[in-house]
Amino acid sequence: MANYWLLKSEPNVYSIADLQRDGSTCWEGVRNYSARNNMRRMTVGDLALFYHSNANPPCVAGVCRIKKEAYPDRYAWNEKSKYYDDKSPKDSPRWFMVDVEFLEAFDRLVSLEEIKSTRSFEDMVLVKQGRLSVQPVKKSEFDAIVRMGRRK
DNA sequence: GCCAACGTTGGC
DNA sequence: GCCAACGTTGGC
């Protein structure tokens, strides 16, 4: 059975339009342990809301699907990368990434404000905690947000 | 640009 | 293992 997730990206770094253009991408640069642990629980075919953080407005912008399960994030070993981490040994990788593929860009952005003001979303990690860049979402929450995004 | 809420680091 | 100092995220 598929799991559901929410992935945050700053649209000025990588947006849903970029993913639509590329078709798929690797999700590198997660450097937070609980986000990493969530990523390692992902399986191929899981669905994820694509969230635009540091955006105006912050919002869910579309949907993507997990294409490849967690594997070592090579950017942690690249000294030139801003994601470089000298505490991630090659024989015992600390950081992981997944591959995701584009599924849809919403007709209508579902803003954080709208999510926060909807009663049935009050238990979402996005609402309760906020700062986590890879977080689990309930199927009911996922389905409801996708419905909102498709409504013109 | 500010700052609240978290996370991480490192001395002890 | 505690906790102060520091760093980051991300909404506003």
Side-chain angles (χ1 to χ4, degrees), chain A residues 37-84:
Chain A
N37 294 343
N38 286 333
M39 233 172 25
R40 297 189 77 174
R41 289 170 46 218
M42 292 176 174
T43 57
V44 172
D46 283 0
L47 300 174
L49 299 169
F50 193 113
Y51 180 84
H52 283 171
S53 62
N54 260 317
N56 190 15
C59 58
V60 179
V63 179
C64 58
R65 181 166 52 201
I66 308 307
K67 188 183 178 190
K68 182 178 177 181
E69 291 177 21
Y71 59 104
D73 183 341
R74 60 180 175 274
Y75 290 84
W77 299 324
N78 179 353
E79 288 185 43
K80 302 265 171 60
S81 170
K82 68 170 182 168
Y83 301 124
Y84 177 68

Side-chain angles (χ1 to χ4, degrees), chain A residues 9-150:
Chain A
S9 182
E10 301 188 23
N12 60 344
V13 176
Y14 197 84
S15 70
I16 188 75
D18 293 323
L19 183 59
Q20 184 163 24
R21 179 199 62 215
D22 295 343
S24 69
T25 190
C26 61
W27 205 264
E28 81 281 7
V30 170
R31 295 293 178 270
N32 169 284
Y33 287 106
S34 56
R36 179 203 68 179
N37 294 343
N38 286 333
M39 233 172 25
R40 297 189 77 174
R41 289 170 46 218
M42 292 176 174
T43 57
V44 172
D46 283 0
L47 300 174
L49 299 169
F50 193 113
Y51 180 84
H52 283 171
S53 62
N54 260 317
N56 190 15
C59 58
V60 179
V63 179
C64 58
R65 181 166 52 201
I66 308 307
K67 188 183 178 190
K68 182 178 177 181
E69 291 177 21
Y71 59 104
D73 183 341
R74 60 180 175 274
Y75 290 84
W77 299 324
N78 179 353
E79 288 185 43
K80 302 265 171 60
S81 170
K82 68 170 182 168
Y83 301 124
Y84 177 68
D85 181 1
D86 61 3
K87 295 189 204 70
S88 180
K90 277 215 163 189
D91 56 358
S92 171
R94 174 182 290 198
W95 304 116
F96 291 79
M97 56 187 179
V98 295
D99 288 353
V100 303
E101 60 187 336
F102 175 81
L103 274 195
E104 72 175 282
F106 285 164
D107 293 320
R108 191 177 72 79
L109 301 174
V110 181
S111 71
L112 177 63
E113 184 185 22
E114 195 175 356
I115 291 170
K116 278 182 166 173
S117 67
T118 303
R119 200 56 190 289
S120 54
F121 296 141
E122 66 186 6
D123 288 332
M124 281 187 75
V125 181
L126 187 68
V127 174
K128 292 185 98 172
Q129 189 182 344
R131 293 182 355 132
L132 191 59
S133 65
V134 180
Q135 47 182 268
V137 172
K138 292 197 195 89
K139 176 169 170 43
S140 58
E141 296 162 347
F142 181 90
D143 290 342
I145 287 176
V146 169
R147 273 198 304 275
M148 290 160 77
R150 287 174 181 166

